[in-house]
Amino acid sequence: MKTKIYPHPFLLYAGRAYALLSYGCSAFLVYGAIFDCEETHIIMLGCAEGLAVFIIQYVIFQEHLFSTLLITDDYIKYYGLFLPSVKIKFDDIKYMEIRTFKEGNVVYGQNPVIGAYQFILLSTSPLPSKRIDKIHSSKKRKLIKFAISEKLCRALEGKLPGMLNKPIEYQLFLYKRAKK
């Protein structure tokens, strides 16, 4: 059985459309700069502003906009547009952690919504001790980072080896308790 996990629905549709529009505007800006089209200077100025927004959006939201997890019975695969493709068999996963993003430039309250600002890290090698916003999925290190959700926890339930299932079960318990 295959299960695909996507990011938040707003990011999935509106975010991807905006990102692709930004990519098109930046391509138009490069075209105007190369061929020096005088008729398009005002449009190019708008595109330059769009390019600045694009760079910010690319750095901050790239992995949240285009990432997808494919979970099967044997492996988990992380992939997306402009992102590294990482495939790990469940038997090879030795390290798993759910980290909360509460350090640095983030608005984090004492009682956040269950799953808010939380990411799951899955790896075959020891996890880095850096802040969660500084960690990215890596094909070289066999590391997957993805925003946690109830659907993701249900798909991973019982598939991780040994004691790695305990944090997933606890997260599902928190989701169940929050619904009551």
Side-chain angles (χ1 to χ4, degrees), residues 14-163:
R16 285 183 180 183
Y18 175 74
L20 293 175
L21 183 66
S22 300
Y23 299 156
C25 286
S26 57
F28 181 72
L29 177 64
V30 170
Y31 170 79
I34 291 173
F35 294 109
D36 194 30
C37 301
E38 291 185 22
E39 305 85 29
T40 60
H41 284 307
I42 293 175
I43 296 172
M44 286 175 48
L45 182 62
C47 287
E49 292 175 9
L51 183 62
V53 172
F54 160 73
I55 291 170
I56 293 168
Q57 170 252 317
Y58 179 81
V59 170
I60 296 173
F61 296 113
Q62 183 67 19
E63 61 187 18
H64 302 294
L65 290 175
F66 294 107
S67 61
T68 303
L69 272 182
L70 176 66
I71 300 173
T72 66
D73 293 333
D74 300 327
Y75 64 88
I76 183 169
K77 183 177 181 180
Y78 173 88
Y79 63 95
L81 186 66
F82 309 121
L83 296 171
S85 179
V86 182
K87 182 178 175 181
I88 304 175
K89 291 183 179 181
F90 285 117
D91 296 336
D92 295 340
I93 296 174
K94 293 181 178 59
Y95 300 92
M96 192 281 293
E97 188 176 347
I98 296 174
R99 289 193 189 171
T100 304
F101 181 27
K102 59 185 173 186
E103 300 167 350
N105 190 16
V106 65
V107 178
Y108 179 78
Q110 294 296 329
N111 296 320
V113 179
I114 300 297
Y117 307 113
Q118 290 186 331
F119 295 89
I120 188 167
L121 297 169
L122 301 167
S123 179
T124 59
S125 58
L127 298 171
S129 60
K130 299 187 281 186
R131 289 185 350 204
I132 191 66
D133 60 325
K134 305 292 182 191
I135 299 172
H136 302 287
S137 295
S138 171
K139 189 174 192 173
K140 181 180 176 183
R141 292 183 294 177
K142 292 281 193 177
L143 173 69
I144 294 175
K145 171 189 163 188
F146 202 80
I148 196 138
S149 66
E150 185 176 7
K151 184 177 178 182
L152 173 62
C153 289
R154 294 220 182 277
L156 286 176
E157 186 178 27
K159 294 189 178 180
L160 296 172
M163 295 297 290

